[in-house]
Amino acid sequence: MTRVYETASAGETEALGEVLGRRVHAGTVVALFGDLAAGKTAFIRGLARGMGISDSVTSPTFAIVHEYREGKLPLFHFDMYRLGSSEELYDIGWEDYLKAGGVCAVEWSENVADALPGDCVRVEMTVTGDKTRRIEITGEDAL
């Protein structure tokens, strides 16, 4: 199922992510697509909150992955902006993360699309105004 949502602030984008965070299960991959400043990290902050994670969530642009383990499931937050191919993703242990019993949230999924599982939750974000976003979600019953 695919549904489209409109958000008018970063807070609304986070709230949408939080709804998904309450529904994810071990092994879920959330693949985020969108331009710079589309709200991907805000969405993942909400996802983490919905999973019971209270840590400060920031984009792992230079670290590639941040791990949050205090919630109902571990959250592995990836930022693929700096990766040139999915081969580099495998070099950092992608397959191990997929098998770790947590949730993988992947920013800049377009850079590693061929490494994503076919049943991943797709979150496509489009900037429609200064603070407004169009968010198309496919999978996990689209909330």
Side-chain angles (χ1 to χ4, degrees), residues 5-7 17 23 49 53 61 63 67 85 109-110 116 124:
Y5 300 87
E6 301 284 335
T7 62
R23 295 184 177 182
R49 190 169 52 242
I53 296 168
T61 302
E67 298 182 14
S85 72
S109 289
E110 47 273 78
L116 298 172
E124 299 186 38

Side-chain angles (χ1 to χ4, degrees), residues 31-91:
L32 291 98
F33 300 82
D35 292 330
L36 279 170
K40 295 180 291 291
T41 302
F43 189 91
I44 294 174
R45 266 195 305 272
L47 178 79
R49 190 169 52 242
M51 294 174 62
I53 296 168
S54 61
D55 288 347
S56 176
V57 174
T58 59
S59 183
T61 302
F62 296 101
I64 308 294
V65 63
H66 286 166
E67 298 182 14
Y68 304 93
R69 296 188 175 268
E70 73 170 60
K72 67 179 184 179
L73 295 167
L75 172 63
F76 308 114
H77 178 192
F78 292 85
D79 186 321
M80 305 305 179
Y81 184 75
R82 298 194 177 283
L83 293 189
S85 72
S86 58
E87 188 172 306
E88 293 176 52
L89 178 60
Y90 288 106
D91 289 344

Side-chain angles (χ1 to χ4, degrees), residues 110-127:
E110 47 273 78
N111 292 349
V112 294
D114 59 329
L116 298 172
D119 63 347
C120 68
V121 177
R122 292 181 60 92
V123 179
E124 299 186 38
M125 307 179 82
T126 306
V127 176

